Amino acid sequence: MIDYEEMNRVLGQADREFAALARRDRKEETAPEKQQAELPVEVDHSYIASMEVHRRIKEHIERIKAGVDEEYAEVKAANGSANKELGGAVYGLALHTIVFPAIAWYFMTIHILIMIGLGIVGIFWVFATIRFVKKVLNRYVTHLVMKSDPGTKAFAKEFNIPTYGAKIEKCEKRLQLLQDRLIELETYELKIERQQGLLHEEFEAMQTLREVPRETETFSDKTEVTFLEFWKWKRQQKSRGEAK
C-alpha cells in the first residue's frame, strides 16, 4: 500500500531543495552585473570642484531672478494703482471746477469789493483750469495706453511704449527662463551626488547655464502720452484708412 504522507514529504523536500538551488544560480548569474553597475564612474571633475561651480552658477542665476522679481512686483503694483491715480486726477478736477465757482458765487453777493477781488482771482483760475483739464486728459490717454486698451494697442506698438501688459509678459518670460535653468541645475546636483563628480561633457554643459541670454524685448523711454499727439495719430490712421 502506498504511503501518501511519506511521498508528499519526500516530494516537498525535493521541491524546496530545487527552489533553493535555482535562487542560488540566479544570484550567481546576476552578481557580476550588479557589481558592474555599482562600479564608480570615472569622473573628470571632482565632487568638490563640481559643487563649487554649481554653487556659483546657482547664485548668479538667483541674483538675476531677484532683480526680475523686483521689477515684476513694481509693474504689478503700478498696474494696480493706475486706476486710483486716474480717479484722483478726475476728483481733483471736479473740486477745481465745481467747488471754487460755487464758493465764489456765494461770496460775490456779499460785497462789491469781494466781487471785484474774486473776478481778478477768477482770471487766474480760468488759466489754471485750462492747464488742469489738459493734464487730466493727458493722464487719461496715458492710462488707456499703459493699460493696453483695445483702442490704443496699435499706438503703443507703433511707438514701442512699455505698457503694463508688455512689461509683465516680458518679466514672466524671463522668470520662466531662469526657473528652467535652476531646475536643470538641480539635475546636475543629483548627478554630482550620485557620481561624486561630473564627466567633462557634463561639466561643460553645466557651465553653459551661467550664460543667461540678454533681454531681447526693448522699449522706448516714452511713458507719457499727450492727448494732442494721440489725437493727431488717430487722424493719421483715419486718413491712411481712407486712402486705402
Side-chain angles (χ1 to χ4, degrees):
M1 185 174 181
I2 301 173
D3 189 345
Y4 288 101
E5 291 183 1
E6 180 64 20
M7 183 177 66
N8 289 335
R9 186 183 66 79
V10 173
L11 291 176
Q13 180 66 24
D15 289 340
R16 286 192 293 272
E17 290 177 356
F18 179 78
L21 181 62
R23 285 195 299 270
R24 186 173 68 251
D25 291 342
R26 284 198 300 271
K27 186 176 180 181
E28 290 175 354
E29 289 175 0
T30 57
E33 296 178 2
K34 186 177 180 182
Q35 290 174 2
Q36 184 177 1
E38 291 177 352
L39 287 175
V41 178
E42 291 293 335
V43 296
D44 299 296
H45 298 273
S46 68
Y47 174 86
I48 296 176
S50 300
M51 286 300 291
E52 178 62 19
V53 172
H54 176 278
R55 181 186 64 80
R56 291 179 182 178
I57 295 173
K58 185 176 181 180
E59 289 178 353
H60 174 69
I61 295 176
E62 286 179 340
R63 278 196 300 270
I64 299 175
K65 186 173 180 294
V68 180
D69 280 329
E70 185 178 349
E71 181 183 357
Y72 183 70
E74 289 175 357
V75 176
K76 293 284 283 187
N79 185 37
S81 63
N83 292 335
K84 293 180 180 179
E85 291 178 0
L86 179 62
V90 173
Y91 181 71
L93 179 62
L95 289 177
H96 189 81
T97 55
I98 297 174
V99 175
F100 177 79
I103 294 174
W105 180 261
Y106 173 78
F107 282 103
M108 282 174 64
T109 59
I110 297 177
H111 197 277
I112 185 65
L113 293 177
I114 296 177
M115 183 176 66
I116 295 172
L118 288 175
I120 296 172
V121 174
I123 295 174
F124 294 99
W125 174 84
V126 169
F127 288 105
T129 300
I130 293 173
R131 292 183 62 185
F132 207 154
V133 170
K134 288 173 63 178
K135 183 178 179 180
V136 173
L137 285 175
N138 293 343
R139 178 70 63 84
Y140 176 67
V141 172
T142 300
H143 175 81
L144 294 180
V145 173
M146 296 300 288
K147 278 282 190 176
S148 300
D149 183 83
T152 64
K153 279 186 176 180
F155 180 87
K157 186 176 181 180
E158 181 173 335
F159 293 95
N160 202 24
I161 296 175
T163 63
Y164 298 131
K167 291 174 75 173
I168 288 173
E169 184 179 357
K170 183 199 73 170
C171 288
E172 288 176 345
K173 287 180 179 179
R174 192 75 170 164
L175 288 172
Q176 185 61 54
L177 170 67
L178 296 169
Q179 186 60 36
D180 290 343
R181 300 219 161 193
L182 289 174
I183 292 173
E184 197 170 349
L185 268 177
E186 289 181 3
T187 63
Y188 281 109
E189 185 177 7
L190 293 174
K191 277 188 177 182
I192 295 170
E193 294 286 352
R194 186 173 63 252
Q195 301 174 173
Q196 291 298 296
L198 288 177
L199 298 172
H200 180 71
E201 295 78 8
E202 295 170 339
F203 190 83
E204 292 293 322
M206 184 178 70
Q207 283 188 311
T208 60
L209 296 177
R210 179 183 175 84
E211 301 168 4
V212 180
R214 293 180 178 272
E215 295 181 2
T216 56
E217 295 183 58
T218 55
F219 300 105
S220 66
D221 297 330
K222 191 175 183 63
T223 56
E224 186 176 356
V225 182
T226 65
F227 176 80
L228 184 60
E229 64 183 347
F230 183 74
W231 179 71
K232 288 181 178 179
W233 177 82
K234 290 289 286 185
R235 288 190 61 185
Q236 290 175 356
Q237 293 295 106
K238 187 177 180 180
S239 62
R240 290 173 188 171
E242 292 175 352
K244 291 180 180 179

